Amino acid sequence: MKILRILRNILFIIGVILLAFDFLLVLPEYYACKNAYEGEEATTIWGYTIDCIGDTAEFTLVFFQFIGCWLIGIFIAAMILHIIYKKHKNKA
């Protein structure tokens, strides 16, 4: 019973860290390169410039989607563990 609560909390913390990483680093680079031309430099909302060569633009899109899939999976697993924990808690 206690292990479910600990596992749920660990998954939630990992999900929040990935969400912060996604919103603070990956998403600004993705949107900066989204509207830039090939080989052009773009400025993110944080003020640093990045080169939008083909690899960078494609890599940020794939990385953005990959982190999004992991986030969805982690939060769904945390919700399922929360529901299981609440059902066991109500029975006891």
Side-chain angles (χ1 to χ4, degrees):
M1 191 65 165
K2 197 172 191 177
I3 192 79
L4 286 176
R5 191 177 79 203
I6 293 170
L7 188 59
R8 177 196 63 188
N9 291 341
I10 289 172
L11 282 176
F12 184 74
I13 290 169
I14 290 171
V16 168
I17 290 171
L18 278 175
L19 190 65
F21 177 74
D22 198 31
F23 280 131
L24 297 176
L25 293 176
V26 177
L27 195 61
E29 287 187 12
Y30 169 67
Y31 278 112
C33 280
K34 183 177 179 183
N35 296 325
Y37 292 108
E38 180 77 26
E40 185 178 303
E41 286 188 353
T43 304
T44 65
I45 60 171
W46 305 117
Y48 62 90
T49 59
I50 53 173
D51 292 325
C52 293
I53 57 175
D55 294 339
T56 304
E58 291 299 318
F59 177 73
T60 54
L61 174 62
V62 171
F63 200 62
F64 175 64
Q65 292 171 346
F66 181 71
I67 294 291
C69 290
W70 272 101
L71 281 171
I72 290 170
I74 286 173
F75 283 125
I76 287 174
M79 284 189 296
I80 290 170
L81 286 175
H82 180 72
I83 291 169
I84 293 170
Y85 174 74
K86 288 295 183 181
K87 283 186 179 183
H88 284 293
K89 187 178 177 182
N90 288 340
K91 285 183 180 180

